[in-house]
Amino acid sequence: MKIAIPTRANAVDDHFGHCESYSIFTIGENKNIEGTETLASPQGCGCKSNIASVLQDKDVTIMLAGNMGTGALNILTKHGIKVYRGCSGDVTELVNDFLNGNVTDSGEGCNHHEEGHQCTHH
């Protein structure tokens, strides 16, 4: 299993698509972290970039993220990536919390994406 997290300075970036990079964690059968990889983030809006297909090609099936609009969520879902929104904090601690069953999707999207589908930085 592979988990991707939008990252800025080893913490979950609050806004998918504007992150510095994606941290990709490879998880073994015993729910332990077997490896990590850093993937540079394409510049621009996450919902318009090819990041979903790139992550899918890397066998990512889960994304732990801070916030994202419905467009980005739909694209990731179409690429077989289950998204958990509302995450924050240190990325390694977050992965361990997820593996221990302590992470759920907040169900909240980024509302400013809905009007005219414009991506702006907070």
Side-chain angles (χ1 to χ4, degrees):
M1 170 172 67
K2 288 192 179 181
I3 300 172
I5 305 174
T7 306
R8 183 178 300 273
N10 289 329
V12 178
D13 193 309
D14 217 24
H15 194 262
F16 168 81
H18 293 276
C19 61
E20 286 179 345
S21 62
Y22 293 89
S23 298
I24 300 175
F25 289 78
T26 301
I27 310 302
E29 289 182 21
N30 298 326
K31 291 191 173 182
N32 58 334
I33 298 171
E34 290 187 343
T36 60
E37 172 187 355
T38 300
L39 174 68
S41 175
Q43 293 304 304
C45 178
C47 50
K48 293 178 184 168
S49 76
N50 67 342
I51 192 62
S53 59
V54 170
L55 292 172
Q56 182 182 37
D57 289 345
K58 290 185 169 288
D59 300 320
V60 170
T61 54
I62 293 168
M63 177 174 284
L64 305 177
N67 209 341
M68 70 177 61
T70 307
L73 175 66
N74 290 343
I75 289 169
L76 289 163
T77 303
K78 282 181 192 168
H79 284 86
I81 299 171
K82 168 80 175 140
V83 178
Y84 293 81
R85 292 164 293 178
C87 301
S88 61
D90 179 83
V91 292
T92 305
E93 289 175 21
L94 173 61
V95 169
N96 285 319
D97 282 347
F98 176 80
L99 295 174
N100 290 324
N102 298 326
V103 173
T104 56
D105 179 31
S106 70
E108 293 177 15
C110 199
N111 294 330
H112 71 266
H113 277 253
E114 302 309 313
E115 295 176 21
H117 191 71
Q118 294 180 359
C119 298
T120 55
H121 201 17
H122 299 269

